[in-house]
Amino acid sequence: MKDDNIFDIDKCTEKFPSFSVAMCVYKKDNPVWFDKAIHSVIVQTVKPKEIVLVVDGFIPPEIENIIDKYKRDSSGIIFRVVRLKRNRGHGIARKKSVMACSTEIVALMDADDISNKERFEQQLIKMVSTKSEIVGGDISEFIEDENKIVAYRKVPTDDMEIKKFMKKRCPMNQVTVMFKKDAYDRAGGYRDWYCEEDYYLWLRMAGKGAVFANTGTVLVNVRVGGEMYKRRGGLKYFKSEAKLQIYMWKHRFIGFWRCTLNIFLRFIVQVLLPNNMRGWVFRKFARGENS
């Protein structure tokens, strides 16, 4: 008997593995942006079996109305809502959303971003063709107008290059990621690490032998605030990043001199540089500025 969870790569438009989309929402999310985010999942060329939405504490009526809208009609996709009695923070809410998914494959989605219409189709093809356990892609970034792209963040595509890149910077754009729960669970899932929960997870997944891939295409259009690049700094942010570099050294992802260099460069950018200069550095080097 043919396994319904497997598809022929040559006939990929006919059959795909079932998967879930894990999302979170909280009171400060913009209802209009939240609506657009869910809509971008609903209109995919390959649709998920379910959308699992964790409501992180109290939310206003405007967001409740959006949830009610998709509970009534989500184009044949199961729309499940998990409610937390009080706000627990995005890390815990994201972890709860993954735990609540019923399928082996889970795609992450933020409440204010917009997925490319072929995002999931491209990821599933990549996952099967490369036998990967975690697949992401590039992102475009916009401020206010989703058609006016201000930057791109491009990441390596194959497992070897991703793990090499991981020694210097985070190799996956979290908002684009789709993974197999078995690989996620082997690494212990999301754990708390200030502003670095995703990087910490990828490192542990790599340490457990997970196979990585990125599609090499833009999968998600990400909404960023005008001051976002400038805020990527400060002593608390630097200490969290430095601590992660020391973790990487102690667990032999990197050597002592690579660890020292990584911390030194982060200290310059995140602590010494003024906000306006830090913003320019992020736009020019951490992203590909769209000029």
Side-chain angles (χ1 to χ4, degrees):
M1 182 178 292
K2 187 176 180 180
D3 187 346
D4 287 337
N5 238 20
I6 299 176
F7 67 93
D8 184 340
I9 196 69
D10 295 323
K11 299 180 179 179
C12 59
T13 58
E14 298 177 9
K15 198 68 175 176
F16 286 85
S18 61
F19 66 99
S20 305
V21 172
M23 296 184 68
C24 311
V25 68
Y26 86 125
K27 64 182 179 181
K28 291 187 178 180
D29 282 320
N30 183 301
V32 175
W33 300 349
F34 177 50
D35 191 3
K36 287 186 175 183
I38 297 179
H39 180 74
S40 75
V41 172
I42 298 294
V43 299
Q44 289 285 309
T45 54
V46 175
K47 300 180 189 299
K49 173 185 176 181
E50 63 183 1
I51 297 172
V52 176
L53 175 71
V54 168
V55 178
D56 191 12
F58 165 82
I59 53 173
E62 293 82 3
I63 295 179
E64 287 284 9
N65 291 339
I66 301 301
I67 293 174
D68 289 341
K69 169 185 170 181
Y70 288 105
K71 284 171 69 175
R72 290 192 303 269
D73 182 12
S74 53
S75 299
I77 300 169
I78 298 169
F79 192 78
R80 299 174 54 205
V81 181
V82 178
R83 295 181 183 271
L84 305 182
K85 292 182 178 180
R86 60 184 178 86
N87 181 261
R88 302 290 300 279
H90 196 253
I92 291 177
R94 193 184 287 280
K95 185 173 184 177
K96 294 282 188 184
S97 68
V98 173
M99 289 174 58
C101 292
S102 66
T103 60
E104 165 61 10
I105 299 174
V106 176
L108 304 179
M109 181 68 192
D110 276 2
D112 55 359
D113 298 332
I114 301 169
S115 284
N116 179 301
K117 197 171 182 178
E118 297 180 351
R119 172 192 166 180
F120 300 142
E121 181 176 352
Q122 291 180 26
Q123 288 181 279
L124 289 168
I125 291 173
K126 189 77 171 181
M127 183 172 281
V128 172
S129 64
T130 61
K131 298 183 179 179
S132 300
E133 296 169 287
I134 172 170
V135 178
D138 300 340
I139 60 172
S140 52
E141 296 179 335
F142 69 96
I143 300 172
E144 295 182 358
D145 185 345
E146 62 200 66
N147 295 311
K148 294 182 178 179
I149 308 301
V150 297
Y152 294 90
R153 185 172 191 262
K154 298 182 179 181
V155 283
T157 57
D158 68 88
D159 184 66
M160 185 178 296
E161 286 301 313
I162 288 169
K163 287 170 180 171
K164 181 179 177 182
F165 189 83
M166 190 180 288
K167 298 173 187 282
K168 299 183 291 184
R169 289 167 51 199
C170 184
M172 310 295 288
N173 289 311
Q174 179 175 221
V175 296
T176 71
V177 163
M178 170 185 281
F179 54 70
K180 294 183 179 179
K181 284 178 75 173
D182 179 62
Y184 170 86
D185 290 338
R186 286 201 312 268
Y190 277 106
R191 294 176 183 171
D192 184 52
W193 196 299
Y194 178 73
C195 289
E196 300 290 345
E197 290 160 338
D198 58 328
Y199 199 172
Y200 184 35
L201 175 59
W202 315 148
L203 287 166
R204 287 181 286 114
M205 289 179 74
K208 293 294 184 179
V211 180
F212 288 68
N214 283 306
T215 63
T217 58
V218 173
L219 298 183
V220 180
N221 198 9
V222 176
R223 191 182 305 273
V224 296
E227 301 298 309
M228 188 275 286
Y229 303 115
K230 298 178 184 179
R231 290 198 303 267
R232 291 293 180 88
L235 197 57
K236 185 177 180 180
Y237 189 88
F238 165 73
K239 286 181 177 179
S240 178
E241 288 233 7
K243 184 181 174 183
L244 189 65
Q245 296 301 317
I246 293 170
Y247 168 88
M248 291 167 66
W249 169 52
K250 287 184 175 179
H251 288 78
R252 300 184 178 181
F253 287 102
I254 55 177
F256 175 77
W257 292 114
R258 180 78 252 180
C259 175
T260 302
L261 177 60
N262 287 351
I263 293 173
F264 174 70
L265 293 174
R266 283 162 171 78
F267 181 75
I268 292 174
V269 174
Q270 296 166 4
V271 179
L272 297 185
L273 287 183
N275 282 345
N276 59 341
M277 183 61 72
R278 184 184 305 123
W280 180 84
V281 168
F282 267 98
R283 290 280 293 275
K284 208 70 180 175
F285 299 104
R287 267 86 168 140
E289 190 166 17
N290 187 33
S291 54

